[in-house]
């Protein structure tokens, strides 16, 4: 299948692109290289920006069966500080992409949505029926795209799957998570274990959780890749599908740090500090729908394995 991976130079996009190559897809990558620089062997690379309709049109003119759309700004704190930027890139960029797809009669898309669309849930685990109430512009911009995709599938008799990722972790194919600046907990914790960072700051110790720190549901990037391959198959019939994607288990920030200490054998100094703006207390997924409708089964649900793969990827 001729597959275009938009945002395929980033952490998640590059690993999914590698898995698609392995699964026999004819894979092209489109990326503006603004936040990711990974090169995936066996793919055709196009440098283009979602904010430049002309260059986008030039790439899509090559014709594709399906588009996987990972390209987005994805940092919660940055989105709180720069809402206009997040809506311009995440919503405006996707609008340009859909218009280019329309122009070239491409009718299938798999979109990287997020659990941030739910905001602070009334309870956990979170199902797809929970109200959408994002607490930051990252989640709000992704939710706007989810609405756009719903309207697009109706108006164009097309097919869209949104995968609402919880916290993605781990490494594969020699590719892993690196952001500049880094804001994500696992890479930061591993920096502190390796000694390239003096300590980990725990953002908030007064949350209504068992140990007072925020709880997240971590999913291995390879299990996420499997979900994409199943989602591509699901787009063979027109319609709109939205699935949560996590393991259904929550780990607190302190548990992530303790697990990393066990995996690395290094002690990790911590400093307790204030909550970070826009962070919900607990995000845990109910992923029954993708399991029952697409047959998704995660192979690496253990946090230890995710941290181990990320640690080994760093060369330890
Ligand atoms: N976090 C933290 N210290 C850090 C980075 C993150 O305590 O240096 C916390 C953050 O406040 C959140 C959790 O770890 O509760 C996961 O944050 P991350 O940025 O990795 O992912 P997010 O859930 O924001 O997508």
């Amino acid at each position: 299948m001729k597959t275009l991976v938009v945002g395929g130079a980033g952490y998640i996009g590059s690993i999914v692109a590698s898995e698609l190559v392995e699964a026999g897809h004819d894979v092209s990558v489109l990326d503006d290289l603004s936040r990711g620089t990974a090169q995936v062997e066996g793919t055709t690379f196009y440098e283009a920006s979602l904010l430049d309709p002309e260059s986008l049109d030039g790439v899509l003119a090559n014709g594709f069966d399906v588009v996987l759309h990972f390209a987005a700004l994805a940092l919660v704190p940055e989105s709180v500080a720069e809402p206009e930027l997040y809506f311009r890139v995440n919503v405006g960029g996707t609008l340009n992409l859909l218009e280019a797809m329309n122009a070239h009669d491409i009718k299938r898309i798999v979109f990287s949505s997020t659990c941030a669309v739910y905001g602070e849930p009334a309870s956990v685990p979170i199902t797809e029926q929970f109200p959408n109430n994002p607490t930051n512009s990252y989640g709000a911009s992704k939710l706007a795209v989810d609405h756009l995709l719903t309207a697009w599938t109706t108006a164009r008799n097309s097919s869209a799957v949104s995968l609402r990722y919880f916290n993605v972790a781990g490494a594969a194919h020699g590719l892993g998570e690196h952001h500049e600046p880094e804001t994500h907990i696992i890479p930061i914790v591993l920096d502190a274990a390796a000694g390239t960072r003096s300590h980990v700051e725990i953002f908030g110790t007064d949350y209504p959780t068992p140990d007072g720190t925020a709880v997240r549901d971590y999913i291995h990037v390879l299990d996420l890749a499997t979900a994409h391959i199943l989602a591509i198959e699901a787009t063979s019939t027109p319609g709109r599908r939205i699935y949560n994607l996590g393991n259904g288990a929550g780990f607190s920030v302190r548990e992530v740090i303790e697990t990393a200490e066990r995996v690395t054998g290094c002690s990790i100094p911590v400093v307790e500090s204030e909550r970070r703006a826009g962070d919900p207390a607990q995000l845990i997924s109910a992923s029954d729908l993708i399991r029952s409708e697409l047959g998704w089964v995660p192979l690496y649900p253990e946090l230890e394995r995710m941290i181990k793969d990320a640690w080994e990827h760093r060369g330890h």
Side-chain angles (χ1 to χ4, degrees):
M1 184 139 40
K2 215 171 159 194
T3 305
L4 179 64
V5 179
V6 178
Y11 162 49
I12 298 172
S14 63
I15 292 174
V16 176
S18 305
E19 288 281 295
L20 289 171
V21 170
E22 235 175 60
H25 286 246
D26 173 353
V27 182
S28 295
V29 167
L30 183 157
D31 203 294
D32 65 1
L33 302 178
S34 62
R35 301 246 162 149
T37 55
Q39 291 181 346
V40 179
E41 240 174 80
T43 64
T44 304
F45 180 73
Y46 298 100
E47 184 171 347
S49 166
L50 288 183
L51 299 180
D52 174 4
E54 240 172 74
S55 69
L56 212 47
D57 192 75
V59 176
L60 294 195
N62 291 296
F64 295 96
D65 299 308
V66 62
V67 171
L68 268 58
H69 178 23
F70 299 91
L73 300 178
L75 302 178
V76 167
E78 183 183 55
S79 83
V80 174
E82 304 285 345
E84 305 85 352
L85 177 68
Y86 269 65
F87 278 82
R88 179 178 307 120
V89 173
N90 293 357
V91 183
T94 305
L95 189 52
N96 290 338
L97 177 63
L98 286 182
E99 285 178 339
M101 289 172 66
N102 289 345
H104 298 288
D105 203 30
I106 303 168
K107 290 187 170 294
R108 301 167 63 176
I109 190 167
V110 179
F111 174 62
S112 304
S113 186
T114 169
C115 61
V117 302
Y118 299 110
E120 185 76 62
S123 61
V124 288
I126 301 167
T127 71
E128 292 80 359
Q129 270 70 51
F130 272 42
N132 299 138
N133 194 13
T135 54
N136 53 61
S137 290
Y138 169 59
S141 63
K142 289 281 183 174
L143 180 60
V145 172
D146 273 345
H147 287 315
L148 171 59
L149 289 176
T150 301
W152 178 74
T153 54
T154 305
R156 310 288 162 225
N157 190 34
S158 53
S159 183
V161 176
S162 288
L163 297 176
R164 290 187 168 162
Y165 306 165
F166 282 64
N167 288 59
V168 186
H173 298 282
L175 300 163
E177 190 174 9
H178 307 284
H179 300 100
E180 202 47 62
E182 189 54 76
T183 64
H184 291 105
I185 187 71
I186 290 178
I188 284 176
V189 162
L190 295 181
D191 283 345
T196 55
R197 186 184 289 267
S198 60
H199 62 274
V200 176
E201 238 181 303
I202 299 183
F203 296 138
T205 53
D206 60 347
Y207 282 108
T209 58
D211 68 15
T213 66
V215 169
R216 295 287 181 273
D217 181 342
Y218 295 87
I219 170 172
H220 198 293
V221 64
L222 282 177
D223 287 330
L224 184 116
T226 309
H228 280 80
I229 289 173
L230 296 168
I232 290 172
E233 288 164 18
T235 60
S236 60
T237 50
R240 180 73 174 114
R241 297 168 185 83
I242 297 179
Y243 300 113
N244 287 350
L245 196 56
N247 280 304
F251 294 93
S252 71
V253 173
R254 284 194 207 283
E255 286 174 319
V256 169
I257 295 168
E258 283 160 16
T259 307
E261 285 187 322
R262 263 201 318 279
V263 167
T264 64
C266 304
S267 80
I268 298 171
V270 303
V271 171
E272 297 183 359
S273 66
E274 296 300 301
R275 293 183 183 191
R276 194 171 70 175
D279 272 350
Q282 285 203 75
L283 295 171
I284 299 174
S285 171
S287 300
D288 308 67
L289 200 61
I290 189 164
R291 286 170 182 268
S292 64
E293 289 195 1
L294 303 191
W296 178 68
V297 180
L299 296 181
Y300 312 105
E302 311 86 14
L303 182 61
E304 283 208 8
R305 170 66 189 260
M306 299 176 214
I307 293 180
K308 182 169 167 282
D309 287 354
W311 181 242
E312 282 174 2
H313 167 69
R314 298 167 56 110
H316 297 281

